[in-house]
Amino acid sequence: MDILKESIQYIKGVGPKRANLLNNIQIHTVKDLLYYFPRDYEMRKNLVSLNKINKSGKYLIKVIIKSNMEENKVRKGLKVYKCIGEDPTGKIRISFFNSPFLKNIFHKDREVYLYGEVKKSFSGLEITHPEYKFNEAEYTNHIMPIYNLTRGLNQNDLTKLTYKVIQEHINCVDEYIPECIRKEYRICDIKYALKNIHFPESIEKMKISKYRLVFEELLLLQLALFMVKNQISQGKGVVFKHEKQVDNFIDSLPFSLTKAQKNVVEEIKKDLESDKPMNRLVQGDVGSGKTVVALISLLEAVFNGYQGALMAPTEILAQQHYEGCIKLYEGLNVKVELLTGSTRPKNKERILDDLKKGNVDIVIGTHSLIQDKVEFKNLALVITDEQHRFGVNQRNVFAKKGINPNILVMTATPIPRTLALILYGDLDVSIIDELPPGRKEIKTYGSVEKDKAKVYEFIKKEIQKGRQAYVVAPLVEESETLDMNSATEIYDSIKEDYFKDYNVGLVHGKMKNKDKEEVMNKFKNGETHVLVATTVIEVGVNVPNASIMVIENSERFGLAQLHQLRGRVGRGEYQSYCILINNGKSPVARERVEIMTKTNDGFIIAEEDLKIRGPGEFFGTIQHGIPQLKMANLFRHMKILKLVQKKAEMIVKEDSFLESKKYEGLKKKITNEFGKFIENISL
Ligand code: ADP
Ligand code: MG
C-alpha cells in the first residue's frame, strides 16, 4: 500500500472535521501534507532559564506547574486561566484565554515547555497564551515552520501533524531524481529535503533542501513540457503550399507590415510549409499588430483548401475580429462566420452544419468553438488570441477539432524568453518587437479621487478635439456582478453631471451580447464620447480614435492588467493619455503607478510585475493549464531555471520519453504530477 496516496484522514488524530480544514488548503493526501511547505520560519532561541530573561520578548522556557489552573471571568465571553510555573531559577505567571480544557492538562507538578511572549515588569515575569508542549522531542528544533493556514486550523496543530507524518512516514518517499543528476548538480536527496524544509536543523540545511525542491519542481515541469512538445511534433501535419493570393492580400492592406510582422509571417509560412504541424506562440506587446498576422495565416489555410478557426476570450473581441476580417477580406470570396455563446440557436445550427460540410472557410468565436458539437470538415489551422486568457488544455481541446492541425497562439503578455520557454515550453516562440510606425508614447499620469474633476475637464477638452475616452470601473472582486455595479454607478453619475452634454455609454460582462455589440458599435463609429466599462474591454479592443484611458481605483489592478487596459489607447496617430486614479495607500499600489508613468514597454513592466508580485499571481491562476508552482519562483530562481532548462533539453535529446531505467522514477513522478496535463495535450 502506498501510504502517501492515502487520504489525510488515514493519520491518527485527523477526523473528518480536521480533514475538511486541511482540504481547504489543498491537503487531501498524506503526500500533500509533506509537500505543503512552510511560508516562512521562526527562529526559536534556545531554552532559557527564567533568571536569564532580562527584558520582554519571545522565549522558550521549561517550567514545572506549581498551582492548579484558576479560572477568572473577565467579562462576558472572556475567561482567563492562570497558574504559576517555576524552574530552578525563578517563577513565572502563565495565563491563557478561553481555554477551559487546559484545566485538565495543566496539572500541578507537571513539566511543560512554553513558547511565547514573556513580559517582564516590576511584578515579575508573565507569559500570555503561549504555545505549549509536554514532550521535549517535539521541540528539538529551534527553527520552526510557519504555514499558511485556514480559519479553524492553527499553526501549532498543523506543525504537530506535519512533524508526526515526517517522523512516521518519511521513509515511504522514494527518490526520483537519478543519482547522476543529483551528483552533477549537488542536490540532496528527497527525504533529507522534506525533513529539512519543514523542520530544518540549521539554516544551511534548509537552504540545501530548498534548492533541491526548486530544482526538482522546475525540472519536472520543464521535462513535462518538453515531452508534450515531442509528442505533438510526432504526428505529420498538413503541408501547405504558399499561395500567391496571400501576397496579393498583404499588398492590398491599408498599411505595410512592420519588419517584425514580416519576420513573423515568414516564420509562420515556413512552419506551414513543413510536414510537422506548426506549434507557435506569437508574442507582441499590445498594439503591435498581431491580428493581421492571424488573418494572413488564416488565408494560407483557406487558399490551400482547408478550414481555419480563430478563438478569442471575449465576445466583444470575437465580434471585433469578425468585423475586421469581413472588411479586410472584402472581394476575396472567403466564407467567414462568427460563433459565440449568444449566436441564435437557429443560426448556430446552420453554422455548425456548414462547418461540418466545409461550406465555411473560417470561423471566429469564443469558447463556444471548443464545445463538443462543433465539428469541422478539414480544420488545418487553429489560432487562439490572447492565449494568456485560456488554459493550455483549452488550447489543446481546440486543436483536437482538426487532425494534427497547425496551432498558432497569440499573446500580449510580454514575458522574458526563458520564462516563455518554460510556460510555453511546448511552443516555438516568435516575437513582434516593434510597434507600427507613427505611434506616440502614451502619456501616463497618476491622480487621486479628489482631483477627478480636473481629469473630467481634461477628457472634455480631448472630446472637443474629436477624440473619445474610456473610463474603466474598479475591479471590485473576481465577480462580474460587483464590477457591473461599480461601472453602473459611475455611468449614472457622470452621465447626469460632468458629461450631461455628451454621449456616455456603458458596457459590462453581464449585458446581452446584442446590447454589448450595439454599445461597442456606437463607440467605434464615434457616436459615444465616453465609454464606461468594466474589464470586459481589457483585451484586444481596438478603437484607434479613443485617446484617453481613465482607470478608477487603479490600485485594484495588477501591473499586467493596467498595461493591457492602457493598450486600448494609443492605437492610432493621436497623442494618447492614461490616467490612473489611485485611491490606495499601499506602497505597492504607488509603486505600480510609478512604473506605469515611467514606461510604455511591456517587457519592463512584466519584469517589474514579477518582482513585485511573484509569478504565482502573474501566471498562476491565468495559466490554469499549468500546475501552480509551490517552491520555485520563476523570477527569483532564474539562474536555477536556466540550469534546469539546459539539463532537461539534454535529457529529452538523449531519451525523448524517459524510457530508460535511470529515468524511471522521474517519469513516474511526472506522470503522477502532470499526467492529466499531458494527457490533455497529447494527440
Ligand atoms: P494587437 O497586437 O494588440 O492585437 P492589433 O492587431 O489590434 O494589435 O492592431 C492594432 C492596430 O494597429 C489596428 O488598428 C491595426 O489595424 C493596426 N496595425 C496593425 N499593423 C499595422 C501596421 N503594420 N501599420 C499600421 N497599422 C497597423
Ligand atoms: Mg489583439
Side-chain angles (χ1 to χ4, degrees), residues 343-359:
T343 305
R344 290 265 162 76
K346 221 170 146 194
N347 215 358
K348 187 170 172 179
E349 233 168 80
R350 179 188 56 77
I351 295 173
L352 290 182
D353 195 49
D354 281 349
L355 277 173
K356 208 168 153 182
K357 288 193 182 127
N359 296 338

Side-chain angles (χ1 to χ4, degrees), residues 229-241:
K229 187 174 184 169
N230 280 343
Q231 269 178 39
I232 287 181
S233 42
Q234 281 232 315
K236 281 222 154 89
V238 189
V239 181
F240 286 13
K241 244 181 53 229

Side-chain angles (χ1 to χ4, degrees), residues 332-468:
L332 279 185
N333 192 24
V334 174
K335 184 99 172 75
V336 186
E337 288 286 358
L338 176 69
L339 187 65
T340 71
S342 38
T343 305
R344 290 265 162 76
K346 221 170 146 194
N347 215 358
K348 187 170 172 179
E349 233 168 80
R350 179 188 56 77
I351 295 173
L352 290 182
D353 195 49
D354 281 349
L355 277 173
K356 208 168 153 182
K357 288 193 182 127
N359 296 338
V360 171
D361 300 313
I362 293 173
V363 65
I364 295 177
T366 53
H367 294 79
S368 306
L369 293 183
I370 52 177
Q371 284 166 353
D372 292 343
K373 280 177 290 185
V374 184
E375 289 172 60
F376 292 83
K377 178 168 177 241
N378 60 359
L379 181 64
L381 173 63
V382 300
I383 306 182
T384 20
D385 190 18
E386 309 290 351
Q387 165 63 30
H388 58 285
R389 285 297 195 94
F390 294 101
V392 175
N393 295 346
Q394 284 165 316
R395 175 178 97 218
N396 290 290
V397 173
F398 191 23
K400 282 182 190 166
K401 298 278 178 197
I403 301 160
N404 285 350
N406 293 289
I407 301 170
L408 185 64
V409 305
M410 305 196 294
T411 181
T413 307
I415 43 178
R417 223 178 205 310
T418 5
L419 297 190
L421 186 56
I422 191 147
L423 288 170
Y424 302 109
D426 56 327
L427 298 165
D428 298 311
V429 180
S430 293
I431 299 180
I432 307 184
D433 53 2
E434 176 185 8
L435 295 179
R439 294 280 172 81
K440 295 192 179 73
E441 185 100 339
I442 302 164
K443 292 191 176 153
T444 305
Y445 304 96
S447 183
V448 286
E449 187 70 24
K450 72 174 176 27
D451 289 341
K452 224 150 101 176
K454 278 194 215 153
V455 174
Y456 290 154
E457 276 315 308
F458 184 66
I459 296 183
K460 276 187 202 166
K461 279 211 189 104
E462 281 290 301
I463 295 177
Q464 279 151 17
K465 285 191 219 157
R467 302 288 80 73
Q468 292 162 281

Side-chain angles (χ1 to χ4, degrees), residues 374-563:
V374 184
E375 289 172 60
F376 292 83
K377 178 168 177 241
N378 60 359
L379 181 64
L381 173 63
V382 300
I383 306 182
T384 20
D385 190 18
E386 309 290 351
Q387 165 63 30
H388 58 285
R389 285 297 195 94
F390 294 101
V392 175
N393 295 346
Q394 284 165 316
R395 175 178 97 218
N396 290 290
V397 173
F398 191 23
K400 282 182 190 166
K401 298 278 178 197
I403 301 160
N404 285 350
N406 293 289
I407 301 170
L408 185 64
V409 305
M410 305 196 294
T411 181
T413 307
I415 43 178
R417 223 178 205 310
T418 5
L419 297 190
L421 186 56
I422 191 147
L423 288 170
Y424 302 109
D426 56 327
L427 298 165
D428 298 311
V429 180
S430 293
I431 299 180
I432 307 184
D433 53 2
E434 176 185 8
L435 295 179
R439 294 280 172 81
K440 295 192 179 73
E441 185 100 339
I442 302 164
K443 292 191 176 153
T444 305
Y445 304 96
S447 183
V448 286
E449 187 70 24
K450 72 174 176 27
D451 289 341
K452 224 150 101 176
K454 278 194 215 153
V455 174
Y456 290 154
E457 276 315 308
F458 184 66
I459 296 183
K460 276 187 202 166
K461 279 211 189 104
E462 281 290 301
I463 295 177
Q464 279 151 17
K465 285 191 219 157
R467 302 288 80 73
Q468 292 162 281
Y470 294 97
V471 175
V472 171
L475 190 72
V476 179
E477 255 177 49
E478 291 293 312
S479 144
E480 280 276 1
T481 316
L482 289 171
D483 295 349
M484 172 193 80
N485 287 341
S486 68
T488 313
E489 263 167 42
I490 292 175
Y491 170 73
D492 287 340
S493 91
I494 67 172
K495 185 178 61 156
E496 299 298 325
D497 189 0
Y498 286 101
F499 294 100
K500 60 178 187 305
D501 302 328
Y502 298 90
N503 297 333
V504 183
L506 170 69
V507 66
H508 57 71
K510 283 273 145 109
M511 276 161 63
K512 283 214 187 94
N513 198 38
K514 210 175 116 258
D515 300 336
K516 264 191 254 177
E517 218 174 282
E518 202 182 307
V519 173
M520 289 313 293
N521 280 338
K522 278 193 179 154
F523 191 64
K524 263 179 221 165
N525 66 29
E527 213 174 300
T528 304
H529 301 108
V530 180
L531 181 64
V532 180
T534 61
T535 50
V536 289
I537 56 133
E538 179 185 332
V539 289
V541 171
N542 187 39
V543 180
N545 190 50
S547 69
I548 300 191
M549 167 61 66
V550 176
I551 303 175
E552 306 252 0
N553 287 77
S554 65
E555 71 279 1
R556 292 184 193 266
F557 298 93
L559 265 180
Q561 216 172 6
L562 291 175
H563 180 62

Side-chain angles (χ1 to χ4, degrees), residues 416 419 605-615 618-619 635:
L419 297 190
I605 290 172
E607 298 252 356
E608 296 290 339
D609 199 27
L610 283 168
K611 273 190 215 159
I612 300 181
R613 299 197 297 171
F618 188 75
F619 302 113
F635 188 78

Side-chain angles (χ1 to χ4, degrees), residues 33-141:
L33 184 73
L34 285 174
Y35 281 81
Y36 192 74
F37 302 134
R39 122 177 102 75
D40 205 350
Y41 299 90
E42 185 177 311
M43 309 299 292
R44 290 201 172 163
K45 300 205 187 81
N46 297 324
L47 199 61
V48 292
S49 47
L50 293 175
N51 67 346
K52 290 272 160 59
I53 298 180
N54 298 322
K55 55 174 195 231
S56 302
K58 277 198 159 180
Y59 294 97
L60 175 64
I61 57 177
K62 177 169 87 169
V63 296
I64 311 262
I65 300 162
K66 280 299 173 189
S67 64
N68 281 326
M69 274 277 178
E70 202 181 284
E71 177 181 300
N72 284 310
K73 190 167 169 181
V74 178
R75 58 180 149 80
K76 200 170 174 230
L78 179 63
K79 283 186 181 164
V80 177
Y81 297 81
K82 291 191 172 183
C83 63
I84 301 287
E86 208 179 278
D87 79 356
T89 71
K91 271 192 186 144
I92 187 163
R93 277 172 290 144
I94 305 165
S95 50
F96 289 94
F97 308 117
N98 295 340
S99 316
F101 55 93
L102 288 179
K103 283 201 280 195
N104 302 323
I105 42 178
F106 270 63
H107 303 298
K108 193 158 172 284
D109 295 329
R110 196 169 179 192
E111 189 181 78
V112 63
Y113 291 82
L114 300 174
Y115 178 79
E117 194 68 31
V118 176
K119 246 203 211 116
K120 185 176 167 91
S121 68
F122 63 92
S123 61
L125 298 173
E126 174 161 19
I127 190 163
T128 310
H129 214 83
E131 276 176 43
Y132 58 90
K133 305 260 157 67
F134 293 98
N135 177 1
E136 185 171 23
E138 290 174 3
Y139 257 139
T140 48
N141 285 292

Side-chain angles (χ1 to χ4, degrees), residues 290-291 317 321 385-386 410 540 571:
K290 294 182 290 293
T291 315
L317 189 50
H321 282 331
D385 190 18
E386 309 290 351
M410 305 196 294
R571 300 174 83 83

